[in-house]
Amino acid sequence: MRCAVSEWCGSVRGRVQAAAVVFTAFYANVVVLGKLYSISLLVDVLLSPPCRESNHTNATAHDDGGKGNASARLISCGGFGEGRGSTAWTGSAIISVYFLSCAIAGGLADKIGFRSMAIIGALITTTATLASSFVQSLPIFIFLFSVVGGSGVGLVDVSGIGSVLVHHPKHFAVMMGLVASGSGIGVITFGLTYDTLLHAVGWRWTVRLFSLLVFILALLALTYPNREADEKERESPMPSSSSSSSSENDDAISYIAAIKSGTTLPGSFAGQPDVYYLNLSKFDNNGAKTERKGFVDWKLIRNPYVLAVGFGRSLAYFGYSIAVVHMVSLARDLKVTDFESSLVVVTYGVGELGGRFGVGWLAAWKETNRYYIQQVAVFFIGVSTILASTISSLGPLLAYTCTIGILTGSTVTLSAVVLKDLLKKEEVPRAFGYTTSFRAPFTLIAPPIAGWIFDRFQSYESAFYLGGSVAILGSLLYLIIPYCQRRERRRFSCDLQEKSNRDDITGA
C-alpha cells in the first residue's frame, strides 16, 4: 500500500513538474522572444529626436521648473535622433547575438544543466536591459541592450527547448507548438501595450518594466530540470513500453533483421516519409546508441543536415529580419496613425501565433513530411518579401506582416522538430544552438543595409528585393536533406549486408 501511494505521488509530482516546465518555457517565449520580435516598435522610438511626444515635453518642462532642458527631455522620453542605418543596429544586434549565443548554450547545457543556464541567461538580460535604460548614447545603448542583453536570450531559449524535450519526448512537436506560440502572444501583447506605455511613462521606463518581467523568468526557471536530472534522464535505460528512444531502438533492430532476412520493411517504416529512416543514424549496425561528444561537437556542426537546416533558415532570416526591424518605420512612411503602426506589429504577432501553434499540431502527424513544410515556408518568405517592395498602403502592409508571421512561425516551430527527426535526441539542444547561431551574421547585417538603402534612396524597394532573393536561395538548400537521406540508407544497407555476409561465412 505504501509503495502504491509513493508511486502515485511520484507520478503526480512528475506531471506537475512537466506542466510547470511547459508553462515556464511558454512564459519565456512570451516575454523574451515576444519583445525580441516586436523590436521595430522600440527602433521607431529611438529614431525620433529627444522628446518627440509633446505631452512628455510639457510634463518634463513643468517638472524641470519650466526650463525643459535638452538633457532632461532625453532622459524622460526622447530617442537618440540618429539615422535609420545606425539605429537599425539596435534590432539587428540583439537578434544576431541571440542567435549566436544559442551555439554557446548548446554546449553549456551539458556542463551546468538547463536550470542553471536559464537562470544565468535571465539575470544577464535583466541586468543589461535595466542598465541600458539610463544611458544617453546610442552605441552604449546598443552594447548593453542588444549585445549583452541578447546573449542571455539564447541561454533562456535553448534551456526551454531542452527542458521540454526531457519531459515530453513523445509529444515534443505538440509541446513545441504550444511553447513557441508564446512569442506570437508576446508580440501581440507588446504591440497593443507598447505605444500606450511609451506615451504614459516613456521608453526608458518601458524598458525597465521589461527587465522586471525577465527577472520573474529567472524565478520560474527553478522548475527546469537540474544537471543531475539531465544526466539521469540521458543515461538511464528507457522503458520499452513508453519510451520513444526505446521504440527507435526496436525499429532499428527490426530494420536490421529485415535486411538480413531479405524480407520487406517492418510496418513502422513502410509507407513513412524518408525522414523516419534517418532515425537509424542514431544507432550503429548493432542497434546500439552512440556516445555523447565534448563541449564543442565539430562533427555535429559539419553534419549535412545541420548545415542544410541552419543555413537554409539563415538565408531566410536575411529577408525576415528586414521586415522585423523596419516594419513600423515602413508604416510611418505611409503616414498612418500611432495605433495603425502598432497594429502592424499585432498582425505579425497574430500570424506568428497561428503559424507556430498550427504547424506544431500538423507536425505531430507522423505522415507529415516536416522538412518539406519548412522548405516551402522558407521559399514563400522570399516571395512575400519581394512582393513587399510594391506596398503603398496600410492594407497590403498588414497582409504582408501577417503572412511573414505565419511563415516564420512555422519555421521556428519546425526547426527543433526536424532536428529531432534527423538527429539523436540528446543532440537536439546542441544542434538547435548551432543552427540558430548560423543566422547571426545574416540578421546582423540585413537591417542596417536596409536602413542605409533607405537613407540613400528614401525607399525600401531595393532592400526587399535583396532580402527576398536571398531567402529563396535558402529554400534550395533543403534539397540536400533527401539526397543525404538516400545516401544514408544505401550506406546503412550495404554495411549491414556486408556484415551479414561475413557472419554467414564465419558461421559456415
Side-chain angles (χ1 to χ4, degrees):
M1 179 65 179
R2 182 177 302 176
C3 293
V5 173
S6 177
E7 183 178 351
W8 180 83
C9 292
S11 176
V12 171
R13 189 184 305 113
R15 292 180 181 180
V16 170
Q17 184 181 10
V21 164
V22 172
F23 173 79
T24 302
F26 175 80
Y27 177 84
N29 275 260
V30 171
V31 174
V32 179
L33 297 186
K35 182 64 181 70
L36 187 74
Y37 295 135
S38 60
I39 191 68
S40 59
L41 291 165
L42 179 60
V43 170
D44 180 63
V45 175
L46 298 180
L47 282 169
S48 65
C51 284
R52 184 187 62 179
E53 297 89 353
S54 59
N55 291 340
H56 279 289
T57 304
N58 296 334
T60 305
H62 176 74
D63 293 340
D64 203 37
K67 298 178 182 179
N69 60 75
S71 177
R73 288 199 300 271
L74 178 61
I75 293 175
S76 64
C77 66
F80 296 105
E82 301 286 347
R84 297 194 184 188
S86 300
T87 309
W89 286 104
T90 304
S92 66
I94 191 172
I95 296 175
S96 61
V97 170
Y98 152 58
F99 290 154
L100 189 61
S101 64
C102 286
I104 301 174
L108 188 62
D110 283 342
K111 302 298 181 181
I112 64 176
F114 296 127
R115 178 191 300 173
S116 299
M117 189 169 70
I119 293 174
I120 292 173
L123 292 179
I124 290 175
T125 302
T126 298
T127 305
T129 302
L130 182 62
S132 69
S133 66
F134 295 97
V135 304
Q136 301 184 33
S137 169
L138 179 61
I140 298 177
F141 177 82
I142 292 174
F143 174 75
L144 291 174
F145 182 86
S146 301
V147 178
V148 181
S151 64
V153 175
L155 305 184
V156 170
D157 190 25
V158 174
S159 297
I161 293 173
S163 299
V164 172
L165 181 58
V166 167
H167 286 278
H168 301 278
K170 294 182 63 177
H171 306 288
F172 183 59
V174 175
M175 292 298 104
M176 271 304 300
L178 176 62
V179 169
S181 65
S183 68
I185 294 176
V187 172
I188 295 172
T189 303
F190 282 114
L192 293 173
T193 60
Y194 200 76
D195 192 66
T196 302
L197 288 172
L198 288 174
H199 285 82
V201 298
W203 71 264
R204 296 182 183 274
W205 277 104
T206 302
V207 169
R208 292 163 193 164
L209 176 61
F210 169 67
S211 68
L212 175 62
L213 297 176
V214 179
F215 178 74
I216 295 175
L217 175 60
L219 302 178
L220 292 176
L222 293 172
T223 61
Y224 283 168
N226 55 25
R227 184 183 177 186
E228 290 74 16
D230 297 344
E231 296 295 333
K232 181 178 179 181
E233 193 278 334
R234 285 170 175 170
E235 295 175 0
S236 61
M238 305 300 288
S240 59
S241 60
S242 59
S243 169
S244 60
S245 298
S246 178
S247 175
E248 291 169 352
N249 203 339
D250 293 341
D251 285 341
I253 295 173
S254 299
Y255 184 65
I256 293 169
I259 292 179
K260 288 183 176 181
S261 62
T263 59
T264 58
L265 291 176
S268 58
F269 287 95
Q272 298 297 328
D274 289 345
V275 71
Y276 290 98
Y277 290 99
L278 199 58
N279 284 329
L280 297 171
S281 64
K282 305 175 184 181
F283 308 94
D284 60 22
N285 288 349
N286 295 318
K289 288 272 187 171
T290 56
E291 297 294 330
R292 291 192 311 168
K293 306 299 181 181
F295 185 81
V296 178
D297 191 348
W298 294 107
K299 183 177 180 181
L300 182 62
I301 294 177
R302 296 192 300 268
N303 187 298
Y305 308 106
V306 173
L307 294 176
V309 173
F311 282 106
R313 287 191 64 204
S314 297
L315 295 178
Y317 269 65
F318 183 90
Y320 156 78
S321 60
I322 294 176
V324 167
V325 175
H326 292 284
M327 65 173 69
V328 173
S329 298
L330 179 59
R332 297 286 189 188
D333 295 336
L334 300 178
K335 309 301 181 182
V336 300
T337 64
D338 289 344
F339 173 77
E340 289 173 334
S341 63
S342 62
L343 192 62
V344 171
V345 178
V346 173
T347 55
Y348 168 78
V350 171
E352 189 181 50
L353 175 62
R356 291 192 178 215
F357 188 75
V359 172
W361 173 82
L362 181 63
W365 293 78
K366 288 188 176 182
E367 292 78 10
T368 302
N369 213 322
R370 293 152 177 170
Y371 69 84
Y372 281 149
I373 296 178
Q374 192 172 43
Q375 181 184 24
V376 171
V378 169
F379 175 79
F380 281 104
I381 286 175
V383 173
S384 60
T385 302
I386 291 177
L387 294 177
S389 61
T390 64
I391 291 176
S392 59
S393 61
L394 180 62
L397 178 59
L398 294 178
Y400 167 67
T401 54
C402 183
T403 301
I404 204 74
I406 293 173
L407 296 173
T408 55
S410 302
T411 62
V412 168
T413 299
L414 287 173
S415 181
V417 177
V418 168
L419 290 174
K420 180 179 179 293
D421 288 336
L422 303 177
L423 305 169
K424 294 179 290 186
K425 187 182 74 171
E426 58 268 24
E427 290 180 332
V428 172
R430 182 175 295 192
F432 180 83
Y434 294 151
T435 58
T436 303
S437 67
F438 294 162
R439 305 173 223 163
F442 299 95
T443 55
L444 179 65
I445 63 175
I449 289 176
W452 292 327
I453 289 176
F454 182 88
D455 291 338
R456 176 67 177 83
F457 301 104
Q458 296 301 301
S459 172
Y460 286 111
E461 183 176 351
S462 299
F464 281 122
Y465 274 119
L466 175 63
S469 300
V470 173
I472 291 176
L473 178 63
S475 68
L476 300 180
L477 294 180
Y478 283 86
L479 297 175
I480 297 174
I481 295 178
Y483 167 77
C484 292
Q485 285 178 324
R486 290 191 294 270
R487 188 183 65 176
E488 178 75 17
R489 290 201 302 275
R490 286 195 300 267
R491 182 190 64 80
F492 193 84
S493 299
C494 291
D495 290 346
L496 287 177
Q497 189 63 48
E498 181 180 354
K499 184 177 183 300
S500 178
N501 292 337
R502 288 200 306 266
D503 293 343
D504 293 341
I505 295 173
T506 303

